[in-house]
Amino acid sequence: MSDLTICTHSGSFHADEALACYLLKLLPTYKDSKIVRSRDKSIIEKSTVAVDVGAVYNFEKLRFDHHQSGFTETFDDKHDIKLSSAGLIYKHYGKDIIKQRLDTNDSITELLYQKLYDSMIQELDGVDNGVERYPSDIKPRYQSGSSISARVGHLNPGWNEPQDDEIVNKQFEKAMELMGQYFLDRLDYYGKSWLPCRSIVENALENRKQTHSSGEILILDMFCPWKDHLFTLEQEKDIKTPIKFVLFEDTSGQWRVSAVGINLHSFTLRLPLPEEWRGKRDEELSQISGIEGCVFAHANGFIGGNKTREGALLMAIKTLNQSPKTLLE
């Protein structure tokens, strides 16, 4: 049994230190370390690593708190949200964890390292530091109580339930496992599913002028979750004319024409399918559009279907020709 200890604070626990402790135990050095939960200064000082407690951030001394006055550490100069304990541990050890699990080279590790921070870790940093996602004068249209941070919070004993250390520590172990499995699930997804999509989207971008002279239509060699990569690659390649439609074959062998949003998180489209097509199906849609083999056009105009690749391409081309002006022009 290892004599190494990882100390975090006692009392109510949160998502950031639960993940920080789990991440440390993924590393060979600390995999057998004991988790100690205390605010006692002498116990903190004796610990091998201290996270989210102790009022000190010092990598060389393995101290990773972020609550102290004067703490300003961020992930890098492109991010302005201060790190939580999860962010601190991830910043220093994230690349090692990624390489260890996925056996990636340096360039792929860096890509996944940045992606996982932006898509998961930064949220924990923002929540733990009380950073609003949007201006406070905007009233949410509905409540959100099922975020990963909220789920960890719900594992704390209720105010009218026993609060002794043994009970709280067992619940903290559950919180560590919840956060750890969530992290590994996201890491595996980005490494094994999200990343392979990049080359498919990149290939479609390189061939876009062969697909149509406008360069505004992509045809994927196979379906994949393309949206994230499209927006990233448009920026990386400095594409001046934004892509309007992405075509792909669905699982039934038919073809889809998907309109591209103005950004990754918006339902507003750069160019929707024509209004007169929306909500129509099959022969009725084919007659209105003048395109054989139409299957459907969604009522919101964000996606349509055709029995053939050629038919789906015609749906995209006709939409382009009918709409000389888009939301981005």
Side-chain angles (χ1 to χ4, degrees):
M1 185 69 179
S2 173
D3 293 329
L4 304 182
T5 58
I6 299 169
C7 184
T8 190
H9 63 80
S10 55
S12 296
F13 49 79
H14 312 95
D16 71 308
E17 75 265 20
L19 180 60
C21 290
Y22 190 96
L23 292 180
L24 284 169
K25 287 179 70 66
L26 288 176
L27 298 165
T29 301
Y30 303 114
K31 66 183 180 68
D32 295 322
S33 298
K34 180 181 178 181
I35 301 296
V36 177
R37 302 185 70 244
S38 177
R39 298 181 187 273
D40 186 305
K41 186 176 180 180
S42 63
I43 294 176
I44 297 169
E45 289 178 347
K46 291 177 183 177
S47 66
T48 310
V49 188
V51 297
D52 216 39
V53 71
V56 175
Y57 166 51
N58 187 314
F59 174 58
E60 287 72 24
K61 295 182 178 180
L62 302 179
R63 294 304 183 254
F64 300 97
D65 200 6
H66 66 107
H67 297 101
Q68 60 275 17
S69 175
F71 179 87
T72 59
E73 192 77 8
T74 62
F75 188 61
D76 55 31
D77 58 7
K78 297 177 182 178
H79 295 80
D80 60 4
I81 294 177
K82 290 194 295 184
L83 299 177
S84 66
S85 61
L88 282 170
I89 296 300
Y90 183 78
K91 178 173 182 173
H92 289 289
Y93 300 105
K95 291 181 183 180
D96 293 335
I97 291 169
I98 292 168
K99 285 184 176 182
Q100 174 184 295
R101 186 164 180 88
L102 299 179
D103 192 27
T104 49
N105 62 33
D106 289 345
S107 62
I108 295 301
T109 298
E110 180 66 28
L111 185 64
L112 293 173
Y113 177 66
Q114 295 287 336
K115 181 60 182 177
L116 200 55
Y117 181 77
D118 288 339
S119 64
M120 177 190 171
I121 307 296
Q122 184 173 219
E123 177 186 346
L124 303 179
D125 292 343
V127 169
D128 202 69
N129 284 297
V131 179
E132 297 282 3
R133 293 182 61 202
Y134 44 80
S136 58
D137 59 347
I138 297 178
K139 181 180 179 181
R141 296 183 63 184
Y142 55 87
Q143 293 184 1
S144 175
S146 58
S147 69
I148 193 68
S149 293
R151 291 173 62 194
V152 168
H154 297 158
L155 289 173
N156 282 285
W159 66 272
N160 53 353
E161 295 178 334
Q163 304 282 330
D164 60 84
D165 288 346
E166 182 178 357
I167 291 174
V168 179
N169 290 344
K170 284 183 178 179
Q171 291 302 104
F172 182 70
E173 291 176 4
K174 293 180 181 179
M176 283 179 56
E177 187 66 20
L178 173 63
M179 290 304 304
Q181 290 306 311
Y182 177 53
F183 173 85
L184 293 177
D185 174 76
R186 293 294 81 202
L187 175 54
D188 287 346
Y189 166 75
Y190 287 118
K192 299 175 183 179
S193 181
W194 174 83
L195 184 63
C197 297
R198 182 181 168 93
S199 61
I200 296 173
V201 178
E202 191 166 20
N203 183 63
L205 275 171
E206 291 173 353
N207 295 320
R208 67 189 186 282
K209 289 293 182 70
Q210 298 175 29
T211 297
H212 187 255
S213 59
S214 68
E216 299 176 66
I217 303 171
L218 301 188
I219 298 181
L220 302 180
D221 292 334
M222 64 182 69
F223 171 75
C224 66
W226 52 267
K227 295 181 182 180
D228 194 350
H229 291 295
L230 174 59
F231 290 107
T232 299
L233 288 167
E234 280 185 331
Q235 289 188 331
E236 288 181 6
K237 296 178 179 295
D238 194 26
I239 293 176
K240 302 299 184 183
T241 304
I243 306 304
K244 306 302 189 303
F245 295 102
V246 175
L247 280 58
F248 53 87
E249 189 176 13
D250 65 22
T251 55
S252 69
Q254 297 181 341
W255 281 77
R256 299 291 181 95
V257 50
S258 182
V260 179
I262 60 172
N263 59 56
L264 181 60
H265 305 290
S266 178
F267 290 115
T268 303
L269 304 169
R270 292 174 174 176
L271 181 61
L273 295 172
E275 188 172 355
E276 61 269 22
W277 298 5
R278 301 175 202 172
K280 304 298 191 299
R281 300 188 63 87
D282 303 323
E283 186 60 31
E284 180 185 12
L285 178 56
S286 290
Q287 290 181 1
I288 293 172
S289 65
I291 301 170
E292 292 185 2
C294 287
V295 178
F296 76 97
H298 192 276
N300 290 335
F302 78 93
I303 196 167
N306 194 284
K307 294 178 181 177
T308 68
R309 179 182 187 274
E310 294 74 18
L313 181 57
L314 277 174
M315 291 175 74
I317 293 171
K318 279 205 169 187
T319 304
L320 284 177
N321 291 340
Q322 290 180 27
S323 305
K325 186 177 182 180
T326 74
L327 284 176
L328 296 182
E329 297 171 340

